[in-house]
Amino acid sequence: MIPLIIISAVLLLLGIVLFLPLKVNLAFKGDFRAKITFVGITLFTTEKGETEQKNTENEVEEQTEKGTKKPDIFEFLKEKYGFFGAVKKILLLLYDMLSHIKGLLRHIKIKKAVFDINVAGSDAAQTAIQYGAICSAAYPLTALLESCRVVKFKRINIKSDFDGGEATFEFSTEVSAALIFLIISAIKIYKEYKKFITKENYDG
């Protein structure tokens, strides 16, 4: 009888944990940043304190000197396709990922989904072409976000700069859901990501 009570209590506790909210903050501003919190406790973060940051910078320098540091996925794509080609690849990847969890989105709260893209270059004609290509790549993702009522705030802002300014790409999102739904979504998203990096021959 006692073992049955213990097993029931464990299963009940597990069920409660699986349906408690987990929050994920993701951002890209020059590099990828992530923070995961569960019932107010930070489980994972890429943000580092001053001492940790210095240690990380030293490790990066050492790895670079040894030639062992691999570029992150965006840097890899940028080297392969150029800045605008990399942005288009990332936008299409995000669309594919969201499409594969569309059925789960009703269980997920997306507080915000913000994309800021500045298409810039010294050649006005080329910049205009790249601007059109970025808009075309962003359209499926924009349409998908617009159809999602669970996204409280969404914005895809694409600007063109013909004065030779700096081309930039930034995004941020805040997602929260019961742990069970985020686990299922993460598995589906990871499968799409694995297919993507295999196709691109990325092993970073």
Side-chain angles (χ1 to χ4, degrees):
M1 187 66 180
I2 293 178
L4 182 60
I5 294 174
I6 294 174
I7 292 172
S8 299
V10 170
L11 290 175
L12 177 62
L13 179 61
L14 180 60
I16 292 172
V17 169
L18 286 175
F19 284 93
L20 285 174
L22 182 143
K23 185 168 72 173
V24 180
N25 291 84
L26 298 173
F28 178 80
K29 294 183 179 180
D31 59 355
F32 284 98
R33 302 173 189 178
K35 184 177 182 181
I36 301 173
T37 55
F38 184 58
V39 292
I41 301 171
T42 300
L43 301 180
F44 172 81
T45 180
T46 57
E47 297 175 4
K48 301 179 184 298
E50 187 176 345
T51 304
E52 290 177 292
Q53 184 65 35
K54 287 180 180 178
N55 291 337
T56 302
E57 288 173 356
N58 291 335
E59 288 173 6
V60 169
E61 288 177 4
E62 290 175 3
Q63 289 176 338
T64 302
E65 289 174 1
K66 295 176 181 177
T68 58
K69 185 177 183 300
K70 296 179 180 179
D72 64 31
I73 184 63
F74 187 75
E75 288 298 319
F76 172 81
L77 292 172
K78 191 163 68 171
E79 290 175 8
K80 190 174 181 180
Y81 299 106
F83 178 83
F84 297 114
V87 171
K88 286 184 280 186
K89 287 284 184 179
I90 292 296
L91 290 173
L92 293 172
L93 172 62
L94 291 172
Y95 171 76
D96 286 339
M97 287 176 169
L98 284 176
S99 296
H100 280 78
I101 63 167
K102 193 172 182 180
L104 292 165
L105 288 179
R106 65 181 182 276
H107 302 292
I108 298 173
K109 294 180 181 178
I110 304 176
K111 189 174 182 180
K112 65 174 182 178
V114 178
F115 295 80
D116 286 305
I117 304 169
N118 186 40
V119 182
S122 56
D123 186 324
Q126 188 63 29
T127 299
I129 293 172
Q130 294 290 2
Y131 177 79
I134 293 293
C135 288
S136 296
Y139 176 76
L141 181 60
T142 303
L144 181 59
L145 289 174
E146 287 298 330
S147 69
C148 295
R149 294 182 180 180
V150 296
V151 185
K152 292 184 178 179
F153 178 74
K154 46 209 167 189
R155 183 188 75 207
I156 295 184
N157 181 33
I158 305 174
K159 299 179 293 182
S160 57
D161 180 357
F162 299 104
D163 297 323
E166 182 182 2
T168 57
F169 170 60
E170 298 179 354
F171 79 82
S172 60
T173 186
E174 183 178 315
V175 179
S176 62
L179 179 60
I180 183 64
F181 295 118
L182 283 182
I183 290 173
I184 297 170
S185 298
I187 292 171
K188 290 178 175 288
I189 286 173
Y190 183 69
K191 286 181 179 178
E192 286 305 302
Y193 178 73
K194 283 293 290 181
K195 285 196 296 186
F196 177 80
I197 63 174
T198 299
K199 181 180 177 182
E200 296 295 335
N201 295 315
Y202 173 72
D203 60 353

